[in-house]
Amino acid sequence: MHRRLWIAVAIVTPATLIVALAAAAADKKPSGDRSVERGRYLVEHVAMCGQCHTPRDEQGNPDMRRWLGGAPIPLKSPFASQVWASQAPTIAGLPGGWSEHDVDHFLQTGRSPIGDTARAPMPQFRMTADDAAAVAAYLKSLPIR
């Protein structure tokens, strides 16, 4: 028993340990595909972006052929004095001159590239850098609608 343990210890040199730890750390970083998939999950199931940014069909259901293609906001503000957006912009494909970096910044700070905040009912997100980057990667991966 002690002989086997010694062989295992002898095989793990400092150089092999560093290589193994670097490989393990690299494996934890999301790949492009995993980042896009994470972004899809956040957009569809957490932030629920499609509720406002996707047009509706005749029955009031999201029109998946125009997923995240911009739409009239289906709700009105409950407060008469509150400034409320009437249209949600197209976000599929990142049109309108927004870069992935701009989207990252917006989702982390709640501010556009020029410092404006989104009008209600858009939430003032404070996403982590990884989540914001994943959402931006997903949106960029979509065709512009």
Side-chain angles (χ1 to χ4, degrees):
M1 178 73 102
H2 293 288
R3 187 171 189 199
R4 286 186 198 154
L5 180 62
W6 178 253
I7 292 169
V9 171
I11 293 172
V12 179
T13 65
T16 57
L17 182 60
I18 289 170
V19 169
L21 290 174
D27 193 40
K28 289 184 179 181
K29 291 181 181 176
S31 70
D33 290 343
R34 280 192 267 163
S35 183
V36 168
E37 188 58 28
R38 171 80 178 152
R40 183 192 66 74
Y41 168 76
L42 291 168
V43 166
E44 292 180 10
H45 301 288
V46 178
M48 307 292 289
C49 303
Q51 294 300 314
C52 292
H53 290 273
T54 301
R56 304 283 170 159
D57 64 18
E58 299 77 30
Q59 289 79 35
N61 299 313
D63 182 352
M64 299 310 287
R65 295 170 296 146
R66 298 185 292 162
W67 175 243
L68 301 177
I73 300 292
L75 306 169
K76 299 291 182 206
S77 174
F79 308 104
S81 64
Q82 185 179 31
V83 177
W84 193 271
S86 61
Q87 178 80 20
T90 300
I91 56 175
L94 298 183
W98 281 50
S99 68
E100 284 183 81
H101 175 75
D102 295 337
V103 174
D104 287 350
H105 176 78
F106 178 72
L107 294 175
Q108 290 179 65
T109 66
R111 297 199 169 271
S112 76
I114 60 171
D116 294 338
T117 57
R119 287 181 288 165
M122 177 71 184
Q124 301 298 310
F125 287 112
R126 298 296 188 271
M127 291 186 179
T128 66
D130 288 344
D131 285 349
V135 168
Y138 171 66
L139 294 176
K140 185 176 181 181
S141 76
L142 299 172
I144 294 177
R145 308 257 187 225

